[in-house]
Amino acid sequence: MEQQLHEYKELIEKELETALYCPENFKVVEAMRYSTLGGGKRIRGALVLEFCRVFGGNVNTALCVAGAIEMLQAFSLIHDDLPCMDDDDFRRGKPSCHKQFGEAEALLAGDALLANAFNSAAASIFLPKSEGLKPQNAVSVISTLSNATFEMIKGQQLDMDFEGIAPEKISEDELIGMYNRKTCALISAACVCGAICADTSDKNLHLARGYGVALGLAFQIADDLLDFESEKTGKKTYPVLFGKKKAVEKSREYTDTAVKIAGKLREGEFLRELAITLNKREV
Amino acid sequence: MEQQLHEYKELIEKELETALYCPENFKVVEAMRYSTLGGGKRIRGALVLEFCRVFGGNVNTALCVAGAIEMLQAFSLIHDDLPCMDDDDFRRGKPSCHKQFGEAEALLAGDALLANAFNSAAASIFLPKSEGLKPQNAVSVISTLSNATFEMIKGQQLDMDFEGIAPEKISEDELIGMYNRKTCALISAACVCGAICADTSDKNLHLARGYGVALGLAFQIADDLLDFESEKTGKKTYPVLFGKKKAVEKSREYTDTAVKIAGKLREGEFLRELAITLNKREV
């Protein structure tokens, strides 16, 4: 799994490098490249590629879409770090985009990555004939990405709303509902878009979505637990609201769901291992 | 022309009202609606509809796309008004989005409008059969919108760069190049997208683009002249850099180009009148 993930990561880096190449000298492009290239685990992009492969598609067909997902992820991190949002000075051990380039550039770089994600997805129909995405499927991918982005934004809104609410007033369902939007929307969109690239059945799209949601929830709660252990969190996360023991159980439960779905797939070994490894936060 | 423009405006308002309807109660959706509905001349949306009609298409086919263009316009205005950009407290006589809802909400509302524009464009393939856009054309529309947004952002970057440059160091070509991106990209994208909705020839797409660029330049310089007259401008605009007389000439010249292109179209009367009226800034 780790070897395959590494190969996917290299393919995605190369794709992003090409997609974000600009012959002109724009500071905004520099900021886009700074925040998108050469970092990140590329889990979302890898999910696009693997779900395409698992359902019998050509990985090359899905590359533009994997790049698009990673651009959306980069956009969301840049805007989340802005002073009016989380006001984070660092991201992956280096200055965050607005610290490096200023707020105006970070705003524009996020906007430009969001816009360009859709152009990357659209470009998938122009690949050499045997690898090109059907226009109908490209539209489905674009619609899925757009919806996921809107869900992510609504999740961000709910997270902000929770800040003003007493912890005991937030139910488990409400917290999971927020995670579903903030974290799972883009992860499950990655899985679904990969499956669309393979031109597969609605039943398989449904499996992809289920895997993505379960993986996203397991991932988010495992992440919360890391923050909880290191006492870094000031936010209303699962372990903060419902205790460490229940959080560990929940994260395992969602991992089991993802593993079970992966078990239904003909070559689901990568996806099975990924779910188990992510739950341990070893990648 | 005014009557037709009014009808288009009503169709677009209705389309946006539906597209931005959300049964859940989200502050970000309220902010999106606040900044998008019930204001604006809807010139860009009207250009989508009219270019579709002129090239023999069904106006209903183009409605989703007209809505998408107006969402992109609303996104750009919300983000342009933010404190880290132009820091404007008012827009169309009411408080700007961040003044009304706070910076975080304005950031998210702009992001969400940008993302949703692509979903609106994608939705055009799901119209009743005779009105639905071909998937291939929907992808072209999405690609055109994405490119135009990136051009608009690069234009914003150039405008910011000009602030630090001595006026005499900016050539006419450089200023027009900036206007081409900042103002004309979205206007010409509106014209081209309308033509794509009519499933017309490359020759006609070329005419649509040419009209849009000329109209955009005429419109921008006429706007600069209004600011110049009222001594509102601190920016490096055409009349500030090259004098009022030359600005009036240039605006007329670009209007003539647009009028000439409209004259080549079988039913180009609306587009001809629009160019003339916009140059007088009467709508």
Side-chain angles (χ1 to χ4, degrees):
Chain A
M1 189 275 292
E2 306 241 342
Q3 173 59 24
Q4 182 63 64
L5 187 61
H6 181 76
E7 277 171 35
Y8 282 157
K9 197 172 168 243
E10 291 208 326
L11 283 171
I12 294 163
E13 294 296 334
K14 218 175 115 192
E15 171 66 26
L16 286 169
E17 176 64 54
T18 312
L20 297 177
Y21 170 75
C22 177
E24 293 165 292
N25 189 19
F26 281 102
K27 210 174 152 194
V28 62
V29 176
E30 212 191 313
M32 291 163 76
R33 294 175 59 89
Y34 173 85
S35 291
T36 313
L37 302 176
K41 301 185 289 284
R42 309 295 182 208
I43 301 289
R44 292 162 190 79
L47 285 168
V48 177
L49 301 182
E50 178 63 8
F51 267 98
C52 180
R53 192 196 65 78
V54 151
F55 290 130
N58 185 327
V59 166
N60 288 335
T61 306
L63 256 179
C64 301
V65 179
I69 279 273
E70 292 293 336
M71 285 185 210
L72 292 177
Q73 171 68 1
F75 135 74
S76 79
L77 297 180
I78 295 172
H79 281 191
D80 279 358
D81 286 343
L82 282 170
C84 69
M85 302 296 289
D86 293 347
D87 197 11
D88 275 322
D89 289 354
F90 289 93
R91 168 71 60 186
R92 295 190 196 116
K94 58 181 193 177
S96 51
C97 192
H98 66 278
K99 274 285 149 186
Q100 187 73 14
F101 296 94
E103 265 188 75
E105 297 296 340
L107 175 70
L108 292 179
D111 290 346
L113 284 165
L114 174 49
N116 273 287
F118 295 99
N119 210 13
S120 269
S124 58
I125 71 167
F126 298 113
L127 292 166
K129 221 167 183 181
S130 64
E131 293 178 357
L133 196 57
K134 283 185 194 169
Q136 172 94 30
N137 286 338
V139 174
S140 294
V141 162
I142 286 160
S143 190
T144 304
L145 294 180
S146 171
N147 276 319
T149 306
F150 196 22
E151 286 300 296
M152 202 159 62
I153 290 166
K154 286 177 181 164
Q156 181 68 36
Q157 172 77 74
L158 289 173
D159 200 13
M160 282 155 59
D161 292 348
F162 283 174
E163 282 176 37
I165 299 176
E168 63 275 16
K169 289 265 172 78
I170 302 168
S171 70
E172 195 187 340
D173 278 358
E174 284 170 330
L175 186 72
I176 295 293
M178 184 271 276
Y179 284 173
N180 251 318
R181 297 182 124 145
K182 195 177 169 175
T183 311
C184 304
L186 197 61
I187 293 177
S188 71
C191 303
V192 170
C193 287
I196 295 171
C197 289
D199 199 21
T200 190
S201 66
D202 282 352
K203 192 188 140 227
N204 284 340
L205 296 185
H206 186 74
L207 286 175
R209 188 185 321 274
Y211 175 89
V213 170
L215 188 80
L217 287 170
F219 178 74
Q220 180 61 58
I221 298 174
D223 208 38
D224 291 345
L225 278 162
L226 281 181
D227 282 348
F228 187 76
E229 298 288 342
S230 61
E231 290 171 10
K232 269 203 310 196
T233 188
K235 288 214 167 188
K236 296 186 178 83
T237 65
Y238 198 97
V240 169
L241 295 184
F242 307 107
K244 187 185 158 183
K245 188 167 161 265
K246 213 176 157 197
V248 171
E249 277 168 24
K250 268 285 160 187
S251 183
R252 277 204 197 126
E253 199 181 293
Y254 288 122
T255 301
D256 286 348
T257 305
V259 165
K260 220 163 142 183
I261 296 173
K264 290 183 189 171
L265 307 174
R266 206 165 52 90
E267 291 185 37
E269 194 50 32
F270 176 95
L271 295 168
R272 204 185 75 84
E273 278 187 51
L274 182 70
I276 293 167
T277 317
L278 275 186
N279 188 234
K280 295 188 202 137
R281 298 307 307 268
E282 282 170 359
V283 285
Chain B
M1 188 276 292
E2 306 240 343
Q3 174 59 25
Q4 183 63 63
L5 188 60
H6 182 74
E7 277 171 36
Y8 282 157
K9 197 171 166 246
E10 292 208 326
L11 283 172
I12 293 164
E13 294 295 335
K14 218 174 115 192
E15 171 66 25
L16 286 169
E17 176 64 53
T18 312
L20 296 177
Y21 170 75
C22 177
E24 293 166 291
N25 189 19
F26 280 102
K27 210 174 152 194
V28 62
V29 176
E30 212 190 314
M32 290 163 77
R33 293 174 60 88
Y34 174 86
S35 291
T36 313
L37 301 176
K41 301 183 290 284
R42 309 293 183 209
I43 301 289
R44 291 162 191 80
L47 285 169
V48 176
L49 301 182
E50 178 64 6
F51 266 99
C52 179
R53 193 196 65 77
V54 151
F55 290 130
N58 185 328
V59 167
N60 289 335
T61 306
L63 256 179
C64 300
V65 179
I69 278 273
E70 291 293 336
M71 286 185 210
L72 292 177
Q73 171 68 2
F75 135 75
S76 79
L77 298 180
I78 294 172
H79 281 192
D80 278 358
D81 286 344
L82 282 171
C84 69
M85 302 296 291
D86 292 347
D87 196 11
D88 275 322
D89 289 355
F90 289 93
R91 167 70 60 184
R92 294 190 196 117
K94 58 183 193 177
S96 51
C97 192
H98 67 277
K99 275 284 151 187
Q100 186 74 12
F101 296 93
E103 265 187 75
E105 297 297 340
L107 174 70
L108 292 179
D111 290 345
L113 284 164
L114 174 49
N116 272 286
F118 296 99
N119 209 14
S120 270
S124 59
I125 70 166
F126 298 114
L127 292 166
K129 221 167 183 182
S130 64
E131 293 179 356
L133 197 56
K134 283 186 194 168
Q136 172 93 31
N137 285 339
V139 174
S140 294
V141 163
I142 287 160
S143 190
T144 304
L145 295 179
S146 170
N147 276 317
T149 307
F150 196 22
E151 285 300 296
M152 201 160 60
I153 291 166
K154 285 177 182 164
Q156 182 68 35
Q157 171 78 74
L158 289 172
D159 199 12
M160 283 155 57
D161 292 349
F162 283 175
E163 282 176 36
I165 299 176
E168 63 275 15
K169 290 267 172 78
I170 301 168
S171 71
E172 196 187 337
D173 278 358
E174 284 169 331
L175 186 72
I176 295 292
M178 184 270 276
Y179 283 174
N180 251 318
R181 299 183 122 146
K182 194 177 169 175
T183 311
C184 304
L186 197 60
I187 293 177
S188 72
C191 303
V192 170
C193 287
I196 295 172
C197 289
D199 199 21
T200 191
S201 66
D202 282 352
K203 191 187 141 228
N204 284 340
L205 296 185
H206 186 74
L207 285 175
R209 190 186 320 274
Y211 176 89
V213 170
L215 188 80
L217 287 170
F219 178 75
Q220 180 62 58
I221 298 173
D223 208 39
D224 291 343
L225 278 162
L226 281 182
D227 282 347
F228 187 76
E229 297 290 341
S230 62
E231 290 171 9
K232 270 204 308 198
T233 189
K235 289 214 168 189
K236 296 186 177 84
T237 65
Y238 199 97
V240 169
L241 295 184
F242 307 108
K244 188 184 157 181
K245 188 166 162 262
K246 212 177 158 197
V248 171
E249 279 169 23
K250 268 284 160 187
S251 183
R252 276 204 198 126
E253 198 181 292
Y254 289 123
T255 301
D256 287 348
T257 305
V259 165
K260 220 163 143 185
I261 296 174
K264 291 184 189 171
L265 307 173
R266 206 164 54 88
E267 292 186 35
E269 194 49 34
F270 175 95
L271 294 169
R272 204 185 74 85
E273 278 188 50
L274 182 70
I276 293 166
T277 317
L278 274 186
N279 189 234
K280 295 188 202 138
R281 297 308 307 269
E282 282 171 0
V283 286

